[in-house]
């Protein structure tokens, strides 16, 4: 059976930390769908279209990766795309506490799904989309943290 993983997130924006998670995950899965979760209660900084185009630009030569947006329960979206793994990244204990509860809830909702956690190389540990948004809002340059950042439109 093909190992299909969903990497869900807001990716507002998709950073070099996310890229590192994907780089490691490519060794584990046959196919990875990067799922941009659309949350009607949470306004994003970068437009959905530009976030999608941005991530697609990074993986245009990687046939194992595709990008989709979704607006439903993550476990339901997994069923639509036949994913049996959810991929998440861990930076610190705070991430762990939060991610553990979500993973346990998701497993309760759909027992076919296992969440796999990956840890990035240390140089990506501090990367955080919300800090990058703050830098951008205040006129700072985010190119060191986000590959192809020129594609993003806020
Ligand atoms: P969400 O809004 O669902 O938290 P994010 O786009 O912020 O989505 O992150 C998606 C996933 O990537 C999460 O599992 C998050 O912990 C992980 N992640 C984000 N940045 C890093 C990083 N620098 N190193 C490791 N994992 C990361």
């Amino acid at each position: 059976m093909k190992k299909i993983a969903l990497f869900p997130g807001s990716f507002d924006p998709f950073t070099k930390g996310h890229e590192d998670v994907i780089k490691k995950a490519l060794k584990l899965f046959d196919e990875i769908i990067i799922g941009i979760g659309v949350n009607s209660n949470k306004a994003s900084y970068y437009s959905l279209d530009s976030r999608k185009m941005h991530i697609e630009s990074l993986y245009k030569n990687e046939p194992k990766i595709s990008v989709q947006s979704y607006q439903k329960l993550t476990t339901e979206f997994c069923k639509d795309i036949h994913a049996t793994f959810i991929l998440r990244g861990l930076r610190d204990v705070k991430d762990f506490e939060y991610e553990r509860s979500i993973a346990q809830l998701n497993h309760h909702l759909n027992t076919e799904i296992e969440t796999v956690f990956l840890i990035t190389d240390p140089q990506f540990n501090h990367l955080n989309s919300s800090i990058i948004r703050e830098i951008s809002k205040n006129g700072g340059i985010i190119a060191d943290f986000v590959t192809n950042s020129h594609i993003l439109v806020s």
Side-chain angles (χ1 to χ4, degrees), residues 7-13 15 17-18 21 42 87-91 95 98-99 118-120 124-129:
F7 184 31
S10 324
F11 306 120
D12 190 27
T15 71
H18 296 125
V21 170
K42 196 172 140 193
L87 173 64
R88 295 286 285 179
L90 287 182
R91 279 163 294 201
D95 270 353
Y98 172 76
E99 295 289 343
L118 292 177
I119 292 168
T120 52
F124 303 113
N125 220 42
H126 63 289
L127 286 181
N128 175 319
S129 297

Side-chain angles (χ1 to χ4, degrees), residues 4 9 12 21 26 32 37 39 41 45 53 59 68 74 84 91 99 101 105 115 147 149-150 154:
I4 304 178
D12 190 27
V21 170
L26 277 169
I32 301 170
N39 181 343
N41 296 317
Y45 177 62
M53 275 191 315
Y59 298 110
Q68 290 190 42
T74 298
T84 49
R91 279 163 294 201
E99 295 289 343
S101 354
L105 276 171
T115 302
T147 311
S149 58
H150 61 279
S154 57

Side-chain angles (χ1 to χ4, degrees), residues 43-92:
S44 63
Y45 177 62
Y46 293 107
S47 76
L48 177 61
D49 280 351
S50 78
R51 275 180 286 156
K52 187 164 181 282
M53 275 191 315
H54 171 240
I55 305 171
E56 280 168 347
S57 79
L58 304 175
Y59 298 110
K60 57 177 190 284
N61 297 321
E62 178 46 76
K64 286 166 78 172
I65 296 182
S66 59
V67 188
Q68 290 190 42
S69 58
Y70 69 99
Q71 190 167 13
K72 52 167 66 177
L73 270 180
T74 298
T75 47
E76 288 301 310
F77 185 55
C78 283
K79 284 186 200 157
D80 296 348
I81 58 174
H82 308 291
T84 49
F85 297 96
I86 291 177
L87 173 64
R88 295 286 285 179
L90 287 182
R91 279 163 294 201
D92 51 28

